[in-house]
Amino acid sequence: MDTKECTRRGFFGRVLFVVVVVTALASFGTGIRWGLPQAINTETIQPWALDAIAPIAPLNEAYHGFTRGGNEFVVYPLLHYVVLSGAYAPYMAVKYFKGSFTSPSSTYPYGVEDIVEFCEDLTIIARLVSLVMALGILFCVYRITVMVAEPIAAFWATLCCALIAPLSFYAKTSNLDVPYAFWILLAGWQFLLALERYKTRHFVLLGVFAALAVATKDQAYGFFLLVPLVLAYRMSVDRPDGDTQPLPLRIGALFSLPMLSGGLAAVMTYALANNLLFGGFDGWVRHLTFGSELFDYREANETPFYTVDAQVSLLAKSLVIVLQSVGPVSLGLMIAGVVIATRECNSRLLALLALPTSYYLFVIAVFSIVFSRYLLVPLILLTPFAGVAISRMLSLQGARLTLAMVVVATAFATQIALV
């Protein structure tokens, strides 16, 4: 490649980087003050977004020493309550020293002088945490795609990700969907690094981030059930250069030092994130019991998940949600990327499919329920495939390039319209 071509590509890359950043900030930040809590009584202290945990719930957990005390419906794990409590801390300190929050209480108005302003501000802080994590998701998508494809594909993948409609919505709420997606993407990045380098530190970081995801939202476990099998298989048949001692049995790779280190890191991280060692064990048991009872209730009142009709209906509903989230053209680009990766035997890129496949099989198919936010992370994990497809299409020549540009423009225009 000559100097002129390098300069042209470098300039184009910088322009696309600016486009991605501006698009992401516009998509994630617009409407961040939507539906703030009125806070005129206990019934209106929540924002309008369904299942949001800000503004008061994190303070309630901190007030009770992160033991889940004072929380009757322990729907979610503990971690993000801790994260938001930390994010609240500077604001709470300012309020305290200004004398407007000197008598903390567990009852409304919680010892606050101006409860309306207080709840609005805490909600905005929580939403800003989600926004930062959403930007972190884009960073992970870029890094993952760079590992398995050319940099220009990474830019297209990141732009595609920034325009996923559910991500745009949940990036400006205090729900758990973006935070747990952030930890999953970090885990996915380390998963690919572990497959490439076989370094123990990547297995450990994979375990840490996977545990943080599960400690944020339980259903994250589904993304990682196939991961040990993929890692063990690759470690058995594709040993690092210079290693002349391949494991005699593939099952033995499951008990190798990197795998055991990652597993131990996951267990320890999960225990700490849920405060199991310092007073939170009973609350954690209450949380698991609550989830179990909720599942038993659904089993008794819904169609059994194991019937063919139930699974076909679930798959059809999932497809409709995907089309509503990214549009048919972008979905087609994702599928095209999978086809390209398969034809080129890009095993590292294809390995990424283990995460959404595992999640669908062991969470969505089992619980037989799906919403747009349930498919958010699988869609994000498919954007590197879309980036690869777009990159290849825009490298065509002549009339085929013109057609490719029309297709790509239509895909992004549709996503913008959906956002």
Side-chain angles (χ1 to χ4, degrees):
M1 186 183 302
D2 58 30
T3 303
K4 185 177 181 180
E5 178 66 11
C6 289
T7 302
R8 185 185 70 82
R9 290 197 175 190
F11 174 76
F12 181 70
R14 288 190 291 271
V15 170
L16 192 53
F17 174 78
V18 173
V19 170
V20 169
V21 172
V22 172
T23 301
L25 290 175
S27 175
F28 300 161
T30 301
I32 198 169
R33 293 186 59 85
W34 166 82
L36 293 176
Q38 293 178 314
I40 57 176
N41 51 43
T42 55
E43 287 75 29
T44 59
I45 59 172
Q46 291 294 110
W48 287 15
L50 183 65
D51 293 335
I53 67 171
I56 301 300
L59 292 182
N60 178 67
E61 297 291 353
Y63 184 83
H64 290 91
F66 300 110
T67 61
R68 315 316 303 267
N71 186 351
E72 181 180 358
F73 301 105
V74 281
V75 181
Y76 300 114
L78 184 61
L79 177 63
H80 201 61
Y81 295 91
V82 178
V83 172
L84 291 187
S85 296
Y88 288 170
Y91 176 83
M92 301 296 294
V94 171
K95 283 289 185 182
Y96 178 81
F97 286 113
K98 288 177 64 176
S100 56
F101 182 63
T102 56
S103 303
S105 170
S106 59
T107 58
Y108 183 90
Y110 314 111
V112 181
E113 186 177 288
D114 187 346
I115 186 61
V116 175
E117 178 188 63
F118 185 76
C119 287
E120 288 183 350
D121 290 346
L122 290 184
T123 301
I124 291 295
I125 292 171
R127 291 178 174 184
L128 288 174
V129 171
S130 292
L131 190 150
V132 171
M133 286 184 159
L135 294 175
I137 289 172
L138 298 186
F139 171 79
C140 292
V141 167
Y142 178 83
R143 295 305 308 169
I144 286 172
T145 312
V146 164
M147 287 182 59
V148 297
E150 59 273 16
I152 192 64
F155 282 116
W156 291 121
T158 308
L159 181 59
C160 182
C161 182
L163 292 173
I164 294 176
L167 179 60
S168 175
F169 175 77
Y170 287 108
K172 44 182 165 274
T173 70
S174 55
N175 296 57
L176 297 173
D177 299 278
V178 163
Y180 103 112
F182 171 68
W183 299 120
I184 290 171
L185 266 291
L186 283 175
W189 179 22
Q190 294 303 314
F191 170 54
L192 294 188
L193 286 171
L195 285 173
E196 178 184 358
R197 302 178 185 178
Y198 301 98
K199 300 293 186 182
T200 300
R201 68 175 179 271
H202 298 305
F203 287 79
V204 169
L205 288 173
L206 167 58
V208 168
F209 293 137
L212 292 176
V214 179
T216 299
K217 201 169 186 181
D218 297 294
Q219 67 194 56
Y221 78 88
F223 288 95
F224 304 108
L225 293 183
L226 294 181
V227 165
L229 300 179
V230 175
L231 287 170
Y233 176 79
R234 285 290 297 271
M235 291 177 70
S236 300
V237 302
D238 184 24
R239 303 295 289 164
D241 293 340
D243 190 341
T244 59
Q245 301 295 326
L247 294 171
L249 295 174
R250 292 177 182 174
I251 193 66
L254 289 170
F255 303 98
S256 62
L257 178 60
M259 294 287 285
L260 293 176
S261 299
L264 179 61
V267 171
M268 293 177 61
T269 301
Y270 182 81
L272 291 172
N274 281 286
N275 194 29
L276 301 187
L277 306 179
F278 305 102
F281 185 80
D282 290 342
W284 176 71
V285 172
R286 287 178 54 226
H287 164 67
L288 294 185
T289 302
F290 183 90
S292 176
E293 292 174 348
L294 185 62
F295 179 72
D296 290 342
Y297 173 81
R298 288 199 69 256
E299 279 289 278
N301 292 275
E302 302 284 347
T303 302
F305 73 88
Y306 46 78
T307 65
V308 174
D309 289 344
Q311 290 302 317
V312 171
S313 176
L314 183 68
L315 190 60
K317 186 176 181 180
S318 299
L319 178 59
V320 170
I321 290 174
V322 168
L323 293 175
Q324 292 172 342
S325 299
V326 297
V329 184
S330 292
L331 175 60
L333 292 173
M334 293 173 182
I335 295 172
V338 173
V339 173
I340 292 171
T342 303
R343 292 180 60 181
E344 297 180 353
C345 298
N346 190 336
S347 58
R348 286 187 300 162
L349 180 55
L350 290 172
L352 196 62
L353 291 175
L355 277 71
T357 301
S358 177
Y359 175 72
Y360 190 91
L361 291 176
F362 297 111
V363 175
I364 291 181
V366 171
F367 289 92
S368 192
I369 185 171
V370 64
F371 300 108
S372 61
R373 55 180 173 167
Y374 290 5
L375 295 177
L376 173 58
V377 180
L379 280 174
I380 292 172
L381 291 169
L382 287 174
T383 55
F385 294 93
V388 169
I390 293 171
S391 176
R392 299 302 171 81
M393 290 172 64
L394 295 182
S395 66
L396 299 173
Q397 301 294 325
R400 291 188 297 175
L401 174 59
T402 301
L403 178 60
M405 293 174 66
V406 171
V407 170
V408 172
T410 302
F412 286 127
T414 302
Q415 285 195 250
I416 292 172
L418 291 172
V419 168

